[in-house]
Amino acid sequence: MSERHIEMFWRCSSCNHRNLGRHMVCQRCKNAKDGSEQYEMPEDTASAVTVTDEALLRMATSGPNWRCAHCESDQRALDGGCKNCGASAVDGTSTADSVPPPPELPTGKSKPRRIGCYILLGLALFCCCPAMIAGQSGSSSTTKEAAAATTAAKGPEWTRALQVQDVAWEHTVSVERYRLVDEEGFEEDRPEDALQVKAQGKRHHHDDQVLDGYQTVSYTERVQKGFTTETYRDREACGEDCTTTPEKCKETCTSNKNGFATCKTTCTGGEKRCKTRYCSVTKTRKEPRYVDERRTRKEPRYRSVPRDATWYTWKAWRWTHERDVKAQGTTVQTHWPTAAELKPAKALYSGEKERDTREAKYTVRFHGDAAPAITYVPASLEEFQRYTPGSTHTLQQDEGKVSVVAPPAPAGAPAPDASTK
């Protein structure tokens, strides 16, 4: 970036003579330059002559002019006093700002203070912010309520009041007996608590693989045998292709407020940009050549030899399933098999004992419209006994599951849970 100084001009307000910026007095009518006569740029700053004279350069770089407070004429910063009326430079004012000073306020009125604006702005924000926050909170609540309403509006697939057609129940008691049972196997299969162990002779246990000589096996192996020369094309760098962007320069001139201006030239472009150039070349390379060769090797040959081991029989105490005893019906009144029904048909031998596990199944069939009957499985006996034949209940299906809608609980009592199938 380069810099130079050029001379401006000003036009006399008395005789309209155009004066160079170096003059502080009109060269025609000899009137001193005053504040109303502004410095003007040359019509074409690019062709303006560059200031090279030392005296003129001193004027151009001395700083803005100052204005005499007595005669209101412009004076240079390097002048010690007014050349028009002789007043001291201390009494003058700077002309760096060409905008005239604001008019004085009427007597008795003070300048308005900026703090009042800040107070009004703060009051406006205090009044508006709560309303904005409330609006955002209300919008969020409305969105949540709308989502909940959409979910509730979806509802179950169907809801119908149906009558109990019939009920069925089945109670099963599975009895196991702890008794001596017969077992058999090899020695490694025999448990530690085995009783009455007896050997039953030899039985086939496993087969061993025994070496039975060697055999010659032929096979083909791929081996390297020499090289072959291959020709191929490749790309490699072979120079650069460069371009230079055109240079563009722009000069900007700024008034020094003293009859001269500073012009600065800024240039862009002129960069050199290069990219690698690639050329296609022919190259050669060595590639290994492989051939198939016929070879032989010795491999071991094995034969299977059967091995026998002693077979044993024994007795051991084990829990085994003995019998199932069931009780069933088609009313809501249920019972389990009696002790007499659970009693074994024959007396237990010494050391034997029994245990049982119980399983209950309940089903309820509803009907009441043209649709097929619906079979429902209660979760407990207490729930099953609520569905007496002929009673009416409200059923609904949601996502393929049928459930009974629990009736409203009486005051002070907990509502029964709805069961789901």
Side-chain angles (χ1 to χ4, degrees):
M1 183 171 63
S2 60
E3 181 178 298
R4 70 188 185 105
H5 297 281
I6 62 174
E7 192 170 5
M8 301 175 70
F9 66 90
W10 60 277
R11 195 172 300 278
C12 178
S13 59
S14 299
C15 64
N16 203 33
H17 180 69
R18 177 171 172 169
N19 298 278
L20 293 174
R22 70 186 74 177
H23 300 300
M24 303 303 295
V25 177
C26 179
Q27 299 301 297
R28 175 185 290 176
C29 67
K30 305 305 179 184
N31 285 334
K33 181 181 179 302
D34 58 27
S36 64
E37 298 158 339
Q38 302 296 323
Y39 287 113
E40 301 177 16
M41 284 285 184
E43 288 78 1
D44 185 9
T45 57
S47 61
V49 179
T50 302
V51 176
T52 57
D53 183 74
E54 292 185 4
L56 294 179
L57 282 174
R58 185 166 173 263
M59 293 181 188
T61 58
S62 61
N65 292 344
W66 59 276
R67 186 162 297 146
C68 179
H70 296 278
C71 65
E72 295 187 354
S73 62
D74 285 353
Q75 304 296 322
R76 298 202 176 276
L78 49 81
D79 294 335
C82 180
K83 291 187 175 181
N84 187 45
C85 67
S88 172
V90 179
D91 299 332
T93 58
S94 173
T95 61
D97 298 327
S98 59
V99 180
E104 297 182 357
L105 294 173
T107 305
K109 293 185 180 180
S110 60
K111 296 181 179 179
R113 297 185 178 180
R114 192 172 296 177
I115 188 172
C117 297
Y118 293 139
I119 293 175
L120 292 176
L121 180 60
L123 290 174
L125 291 175
F126 179 78
C127 294
C128 296
C129 285
M132 295 173 61
I133 294 174
Q136 294 177 354
S137 176
S139 176
S140 177
S141 300
T142 303
T143 303
K144 293 180 179 178
E145 291 175 359
T150 302
T151 304
K154 184 178 179 182
E157 298 171 10
W158 54 260
T159 301
R160 297 199 294 265
L162 301 177
Q163 190 177 37
V164 177
Q165 181 177 357
D166 53 55
V167 297
W169 59 270
E170 180 180 88
H171 287 173
T172 303
V173 179
S174 181
V175 181
E176 293 181 313
R177 180 176 296 184
Y178 188 65
R179 71 177 97 189
L180 279 173
V181 296
D182 294 325
E183 294 180 349
E184 60 182 356
F186 292 105
E187 185 174 1
E188 63 269 20
D189 302 324
R190 190 175 65 210
E192 295 181 358
D193 60 349
L195 303 173
Q196 304 177 23
V197 179
K198 295 180 181 180
Q200 301 296 329
K202 299 289 185 178
R203 291 192 182 184
H204 179 263
H205 187 275
H206 67 281
D207 290 335
D208 283 340
Q209 298 297 313
V210 179
L211 181 63
D212 189 29
Y214 293 87
Q215 60 184 358
T216 301
V217 178
S218 299
Y219 66 98
T220 301
E221 184 176 2
R222 192 170 182 81
V223 297
Q224 182 185 347
K225 190 172 183 179
F227 294 87
T228 57
T229 302
E230 292 184 353
T231 301
Y232 66 97
R233 303 288 294 177
D234 195 7
R235 295 176 74 249
E236 62 180 23
C238 57
E240 290 183 335
D241 295 325
C242 301
T243 58
T244 303
T245 58
E247 185 178 28
K248 297 180 180 179
C249 296
K250 180 180 180 182
E251 185 180 60
T252 304
C253 297
T254 306
S255 174
N256 295 342
K257 308 297 183 182
N258 58 8
F260 296 87
T262 301
C263 297
K264 297 181 180 180
T265 302
T266 304
C267 296
T268 58
E271 298 91 358
K272 184 179 180 181
R273 298 179 180 177
C274 299
K275 63 179 181 180
T276 304
R277 182 172 63 252
Y278 292 91
C279 301
S280 180
V281 296
T282 302
K283 295 183 178 181
T284 59
R285 62 188 170 202
K286 295 285 188 180
E287 291 290 339
R289 182 174 68 250
Y290 294 91
V291 295
D292 293 333
E293 291 187 354
R294 191 72 173 172
R295 299 186 177 184
T296 61
R297 61 171 174 250
K298 296 288 186 180
E299 291 186 351
R301 182 176 62 249
Y302 296 91
R303 60 186 175 87
S304 295
V305 178
R307 303 298 184 190
D308 295 337
T310 303
W311 185 261
Y312 295 93
T313 59
W314 64 85
K315 291 182 180 293
W317 288 98
R318 299 285 185 265
W319 284 104
T320 60
H321 181 264
E322 175 64 18
R323 62 192 180 278
D324 288 331
V325 182
K326 296 184 179 181
Q328 54 191 9
T330 56
T331 66
V332 293
Q333 302 301 322
T334 66
H335 63 84
W336 288 94
T338 63
E341 293 173 330
L342 294 175
K343 186 177 180 180
K346 295 181 180 180
L348 302 181
Y349 293 104
S350 177
E352 292 185 341
K353 54 185 176 181
E354 290 186 339
R355 65 184 181 185
D356 61 67
T357 56
R358 302 190 172 211
E359 181 183 11
K361 294 182 179 179
Y362 307 104
T363 57
V364 180
R365 287 204 309 164
F366 291 91
H367 72 93
D369 50 19
I374 295 175
T375 301
Y376 175 71
V377 178
S380 64
L381 174 62
E382 291 75 16
E383 183 189 0
F384 172 71
Q385 292 178 338
R386 293 203 299 263
Y387 305 118
T388 56
S391 62
T392 302
H393 301 267
T394 301
L395 278 71
Q396 66 180 16
Q397 179 173 307
D398 189 10
E399 297 182 354
K401 297 180 180 179
V402 177
S403 61
V404 178
V405 179
D417 295 333
S419 302
T420 301
K421 180 180 177 182

Short mmCIF file of all heavy atoms in Angstrom, two decimals, residues 4-6 8 41 45 251-258 260-264:
data_model
loop_
_atom_site.label_atom_id
_atom_site.label_comp_id
_atom_site.label_asym_id
_atom_site.label_seq_id
_atom_site.Cartn_x
_atom_site.Cartn_y
_atom_site.Cartn_z
N ARG A 4 0.51 9.07 -0.77
CA ARG A 4 1.00 10.35 -1.28
C ARG A 4 0.06 11.46 -0.84
O ARG A 4 -1.04 11.20 -0.32
CB ARG A 4 1.10 10.32 -2.81
CG ARG A 4 -0.26 10.30 -3.54
CD ARG A 4 -0.09 10.08 -5.03
NE ARG A 4 -1.37 10.17 -5.73
CZ ARG A 4 -1.75 11.21 -6.48
NH1 ARG A 4 -0.96 12.28 -6.61
NH2 ARG A 4 -2.92 11.21 -7.10
N HIS A 5 0.49 12.71 -1.02
CA HIS A 5 -0.31 13.87 -0.64
C HIS A 5 -0.60 14.70 -1.89
O HIS A 5 0.26 14.86 -2.77
CB HIS A 5 0.45 14.74 0.38
CG HIS A 5 0.72 14.03 1.67
ND1 HIS A 5 -0.23 13.87 2.64
CD2 HIS A 5 1.85 13.44 2.13
CE1 HIS A 5 0.30 13.21 3.66
NE2 HIS A 5 1.57 12.93 3.37
N ILE A 6 -1.85 15.18 -1.98
CA ILE A 6 -2.23 16.07 -3.08
C ILE A 6 -2.81 17.34 -2.47
O ILE A 6 -3.19 17.38 -1.29
CB ILE A 6 -3.26 15.41 -4.02
CG1 ILE A 6 -4.56 15.09 -3.27
CG2 ILE A 6 -2.68 14.15 -4.65
CD1 ILE A 6 -5.67 14.57 -4.17
N MET A 8 -5.63 20.34 -2.22
CA MET A 8 -7.04 20.60 -2.45
C MET A 8 -7.21 22.09 -2.82
O MET A 8 -6.20 22.80 -3.03
CB MET A 8 -7.85 20.25 -1.20
CG MET A 8 -7.70 18.80 -0.76
SD MET A 8 -8.55 18.42 0.79
CE MET A 8 -10.25 18.53 0.29
N MET A 41 -12.08 18.56 -3.01
CA MET A 41 -11.15 17.66 -3.69
C MET A 41 -11.05 18.03 -5.17
O MET A 41 -12.02 18.53 -5.76
CB MET A 41 -11.65 16.21 -3.58
CG MET A 41 -11.44 15.57 -2.23
SD MET A 41 -9.72 15.12 -1.99
CE MET A 41 -9.86 14.30 -0.41
N THR A 45 -8.83 12.89 -8.74
CA THR A 45 -7.72 12.76 -7.79
C THR A 45 -6.58 11.93 -8.35
O THR A 45 -5.43 12.10 -7.96
CB THR A 45 -8.22 12.12 -6.50
OG1 THR A 45 -8.82 10.85 -6.80
CG2 THR A 45 -9.26 12.99 -5.81
N GLU A 251 -7.21 3.95 -5.49
CA GLU A 251 -6.69 5.02 -4.66
C GLU A 251 -7.84 5.72 -3.94
O GLU A 251 -8.86 6.06 -4.56
CB GLU A 251 -5.92 6.04 -5.52
CG GLU A 251 -5.24 7.12 -4.69
CD GLU A 251 -4.49 8.12 -5.56
OE1 GLU A 251 -5.15 8.78 -6.41
OE2 GLU A 251 -3.27 8.24 -5.40
N THR A 252 -7.68 5.93 -2.63
CA THR A 252 -8.68 6.60 -1.80
C THR A 252 -8.04 7.81 -1.15
O THR A 252 -6.99 7.68 -0.51
CB THR A 252 -9.22 5.65 -0.71
OG1 THR A 252 -9.74 4.47 -1.35
CG2 THR A 252 -10.32 6.32 0.09
N CYS A 253 -8.68 8.97 -1.32
CA CYS A 253 -8.12 10.22 -0.80
C CYS A 253 -8.99 10.74 0.34
O CYS A 253 -10.23 10.75 0.23
CB CYS A 253 -8.03 11.29 -1.90
SG CYS A 253 -6.91 10.82 -3.26
N THR A 254 -8.35 11.18 1.43
CA THR A 254 -9.02 11.69 2.62
C THR A 254 -8.47 13.07 2.95
O THR A 254 -7.25 13.27 2.98
CB THR A 254 -8.82 10.75 3.82
OG1 THR A 254 -9.24 9.44 3.44
CG2 THR A 254 -9.63 11.21 5.00
N SER A 255 -9.39 14.00 3.21
CA SER A 255 -8.97 15.38 3.52
C SER A 255 -8.22 15.43 4.84
O SER A 255 -8.59 14.77 5.82
CB SER A 255 -10.18 16.31 3.57
OG SER A 255 -9.79 17.60 4.01
N ASN A 256 -7.12 16.24 4.87
CA ASN A 256 -6.35 16.45 6.11
C ASN A 256 -6.86 17.64 6.89
O ASN A 256 -6.29 18.01 7.92
CB ASN A 256 -4.87 16.65 5.79
CG ASN A 256 -4.23 15.43 5.19
OD1 ASN A 256 -4.77 14.33 5.30
ND2 ASN A 256 -3.09 15.62 4.51
N LYS A 257 -7.95 18.32 6.39
CA LYS A 257 -8.54 19.50 7.03
C LYS A 257 -7.58 20.68 7.09
O LYS A 257 -7.69 21.55 7.95
CB LYS A 257 -9.01 19.16 8.46
CG LYS A 257 -9.90 17.94 8.58
CD LYS A 257 -11.19 18.11 7.83
CE LYS A 257 -12.09 16.90 8.02
NZ LYS A 257 -13.36 17.02 7.25
N ASN A 258 -6.64 20.69 6.14
CA ASN A 258 -5.67 21.82 6.13
C ASN A 258 -5.33 22.24 4.71
O ASN A 258 -4.29 22.85 4.47
CB ASN A 258 -4.41 21.43 6.88
CG ASN A 258 -3.74 20.19 6.30
OD1 ASN A 258 -4.14 19.69 5.24
ND2 ASN A 258 -2.73 19.67 7.00
N PHE A 260 -4.89 20.09 2.19
CA PHE A 260 -4.24 18.98 1.52
C PHE A 260 -5.01 17.69 1.85
O PHE A 260 -5.79 17.64 2.79
CB PHE A 260 -2.77 18.85 1.95
CG PHE A 260 -1.94 20.04 1.56
CD1 PHE A 260 -1.85 21.16 2.40
CD2 PHE A 260 -1.25 20.07 0.36
CE1 PHE A 260 -1.09 22.25 2.05
CE2 PHE A 260 -0.48 21.18 0.01
CZ PHE A 260 -0.41 22.27 0.85
N ALA A 261 -4.74 16.66 1.05
CA ALA A 261 -5.39 15.37 1.25
C ALA A 261 -4.34 14.27 1.18
O ALA A 261 -3.35 14.39 0.45
CB ALA A 261 -6.48 15.12 0.22
N THR A 262 -4.58 13.19 1.92
CA THR A 262 -3.71 12.01 1.89
C THR A 262 -4.38 10.94 1.05
O THR A 262 -5.52 10.55 1.32
CB THR A 262 -3.45 11.48 3.30
OG1 THR A 262 -2.83 12.51 4.08
CG2 THR A 262 -2.55 10.27 3.27
N CYS A 263 -3.67 10.48 0.02
CA CYS A 263 -4.19 9.47 -0.89
C CYS A 263 -3.44 8.16 -0.68
O CYS A 263 -2.20 8.15 -0.73
CB CYS A 263 -4.08 9.91 -2.35
SG CYS A 263 -5.05 11.39 -2.72
N LYS A 264 -4.19 7.08 -0.44
CA LYS A 264 -3.60 5.77 -0.23
C LYS A 264 -4.06 4.83 -1.33
O LYS A 264 -5.24 4.77 -1.66
CB LYS A 264 -3.99 5.20 1.13
CG LYS A 264 -3.49 6.04 2.30
CD LYS A 264 -3.89 5.41 3.63
CE LYS A 264 -3.38 6.25 4.80
NZ LYS A 264 -3.75 5.66 6.11
#
